């Protein structure tokens, strides 16, 4: 949230996150170099850089793709999600080092333009065993560049959240290209079966996590609601923890019902910033705080506290005994609704 | 035939990037402010950070500037 754009949105937690990432990268690269020179002292520096940065980028991409479903399965993984954007940009930079050094080593020695050389030095596009796998890596790198280049909040605001999200879903296409790049490259280059096995295992884990998290969400969305005069029964008051929310689905939309200061309020679950799940956040300083990037909304009217302007839909609630009911008809974003007292 | 097609596609890609580069220079100095007033309040380093994204998304940005 801000009245201008910052170069990098850093706070104490994000700095710690980035420091851990930086240390991880340094330790991985040093470790890779030590193992490589110990096992094969003749390895050239260029080859070491290509392999070290390439394998690091793949490892980081796997972790990035696991973070989303892991947080949907278990909220304890939420801190990993908090600064995934920086993780993604760093992963692109590692992939870019791998790509640039590969182009220098394999495509700059002749008199053909290096980019043209990537696509035309091997025209065996019909072959599985001799496929020009570097083309796949290049295309994946273009997609990762597009995502890293549009990761700033400016793009989110100006491309619209829907377009931005759709654009960033291309990470799955990039991942598929990377996997094909590795496996098709393995037919032509000296590649360790251990590496191929690890990549195969990684892909299996990513697919399994997405399927499992998807089933979990479908279960919430399809949970049967009992109706009473148009009001949907949600849960007992005791089922909602203080300063936390209970999520439900009304007319196909996810809604978060918050309990705070002896009151209950309901707002649409989707944060206006980046589509984060407000119901997985908590009340901080009297405001619903999105777990992804800290965007805040007042529970009584779904509006960000002044001078900010983001708004989410609000809902009417009623309490019968200790049973919480919700009117599934949403109010326009930012409409004040009196909280119900417990 | 395949080689010629690939070279044509690479040239188109190169032209796209070149136009994006030239438009990017205009965008970081003037265009960004036209579509988002918050940029005027931001440091110039933020606009420089937008440059790579501008190269990638220039057709969208030009459309947005004309609509404004």
């Amino acid at each position: 949230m801000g009245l201008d754009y910052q170069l990098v949105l850093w706070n104490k937690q994000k700095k710690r996150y980035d420091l851990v990432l930086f240390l991880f990268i340094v330790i991985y690269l040093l470790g890779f170099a030590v193992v490589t020179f110990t096992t094969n002292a003749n390895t050239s520096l260029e080859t070491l850089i290509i392999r070290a940065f390439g394998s690091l980028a793949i490892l980081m991409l796997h972790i990035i793709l696991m973070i989303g479903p892991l947080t949907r399965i278990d909220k304890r993984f939420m801190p990993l999600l908090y600064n995934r954007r920086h993780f993604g940009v760093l992963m692109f930079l590692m992939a870019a080092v791998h790509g640039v050094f590969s182009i220098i080593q394999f495509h700059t020695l002749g008199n053909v333009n290096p980019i043209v050389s990537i696509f035309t030095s091997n025209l065996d596009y019909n072959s599985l065993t001799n496929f020009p796998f570097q083309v796949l890596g290049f295309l994946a790198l273009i997609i990762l560049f597009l995502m890293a280049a549009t990761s700033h909040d400016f793009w989110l605001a100006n491309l619209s959240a829907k377009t931005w999200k759709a654009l960033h879903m291309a990470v799955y296409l990039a991942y598929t290209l990377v996997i094909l790049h590795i496996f098709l490259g393995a037919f032509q280059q000296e590649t360790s079966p251990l590496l191929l096995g690890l990549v195969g295992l990684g892909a299996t884990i990513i697919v399994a996590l997405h399927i499992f998290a998807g089933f979990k969400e479908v279960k919430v969305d399809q949970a049967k609601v009992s109706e009473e005069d148009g009001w949907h029964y949600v849960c007992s008051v005791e089922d909602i923890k203080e300063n936390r929310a209970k999520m439900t689905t009304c007319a196909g939309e996810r809604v978060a019902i918050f309990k705070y200061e002896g009151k209950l309020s309901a707002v649409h679950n989707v944060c206006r910033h980046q589509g984060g799940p407000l119901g997985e956040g908590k009340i901080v300083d009297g405001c619903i705080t999105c777990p992804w990037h800290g965007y805040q909304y007042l529970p009584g009217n779904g509006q960000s506290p002044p001078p900010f302007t983001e708004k989410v839909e609000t809902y009417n609630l009623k309490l019968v005994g200790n049973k919480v009911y919700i009117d599934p008809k949403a109010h326009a974003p930012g409409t004040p609704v009196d909280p119900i007292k417990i | 035939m395949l080689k010629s097609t690939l070279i044509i596609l690479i040239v188109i890609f190169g032209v796209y990037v070149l136009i994006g580069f030239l438009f990017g220079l205009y965008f970081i100095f003037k265009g960004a402010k036209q579509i988002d007033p918050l940029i005027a309040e931001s440091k110039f380093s933020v606009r420089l950070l937008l440059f790579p994204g501008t190269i990638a998304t220039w057709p969208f940005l030009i459309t947005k500037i004309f609509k404004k």
Side-chain angles (χ1 to χ4, degrees), chain A residues 100-146:
Chain A
V100 168
F101 272 82
S102 299
I103 291 171
I104 291 171
Q105 179 145 337
F106 300 114
H107 296 283
T108 55
L109 301 175
N111 54 1
V112 180
N113 177 296
I115 305 298
V116 174
S117 172
I118 293 172
F119 284 86
T120 60
S121 59
N122 171 8
L123 290 169
D124 226 350
Y125 284 90
N126 291 325
S127 164
L128 191 64
T129 53
N130 192 36
F131 190 89
F133 68 96
Q134 292 175 347
V135 170
L136 303 173
F138 182 80
L139 294 176
L141 193 59
I142 295 286
I143 294 172
L144 295 177
F145 164 77
L146 188 62

Side-chain angles (χ1 to χ4, degrees), chain A residues 3 5 7 146 155 158-159, chain B residues 36 38 42 45 50 56 60 64:
Chain A
L3 294 170
Y5 292 109
L7 190 64
L146 188 62
W155 298 108
N158 287 285
L159 294 177
Chain B
D36 191 337
L38 284 186
S42 310
S45 52
L50 302 182
F60 178 85
K64 199 156 183 182

Side-chain angles (χ1 to χ4, degrees), chain A residues 32-50:
Chain A
F32 195 97
V34 169
V35 171
T36 301
F37 284 127
T38 309
T39 53
N40 185 0
N42 296 324
T43 307
S44 71
L45 185 62
E46 291 87 349
T47 302
L48 172 70
I49 290 172
I50 289 168

Side-chain angles (χ1 to χ4, degrees), chain A residues 269-284:
Chain A
N269 190 50
V270 180
C271 177
R272 283 287 179 269
H273 174 225
Q274 212 178 326
L278 293 177
E280 291 176 16
K282 56 183 176 182
I283 303 278
V284 178

Side-chain angles (χ1 to χ4, degrees), chain B residues 3-24:
Chain B
K3 192 173 179 179
S4 310
T5 309
L6 287 169
I7 290 175
I8 289 169
L9 289 174
I10 292 164
V11 170
I12 292 171
F13 175 70
V15 171
Y16 182 92
V17 172
L18 182 66
I19 295 173
F21 189 89
L22 296 173
F23 174 75

Side-chain angles (χ1 to χ4, degrees), chain A residues 306-318:
Chain A
F308 305 107
T309 55
E310 287 79 10
K311 292 173 187 171
V312 290
E313 291 84 352
T314 51
Y315 292 81
N316 286 336
L317 294 172
K318 75 172 181 180

Side-chain angles (χ1 to χ4, degrees), chain A residues 245-284:
Chain A
K246 173 84 180 174
M247 279 187 281
T248 187
T249 304
C250 290
E253 298 292 330
R254 288 187 190 158
V255 179
I257 300 165
F258 280 89
K259 181 159 100 176
Y260 58 102
E261 299 166 5
K263 294 180 282 187
L264 292 172
S265 288
V267 299
H268 195 266
N269 190 50
V270 180
C271 177
R272 283 287 179 269
H273 174 225
Q274 212 178 326
L278 293 177
E280 291 176 16
K282 56 183 176 182
I283 303 278
V284 178

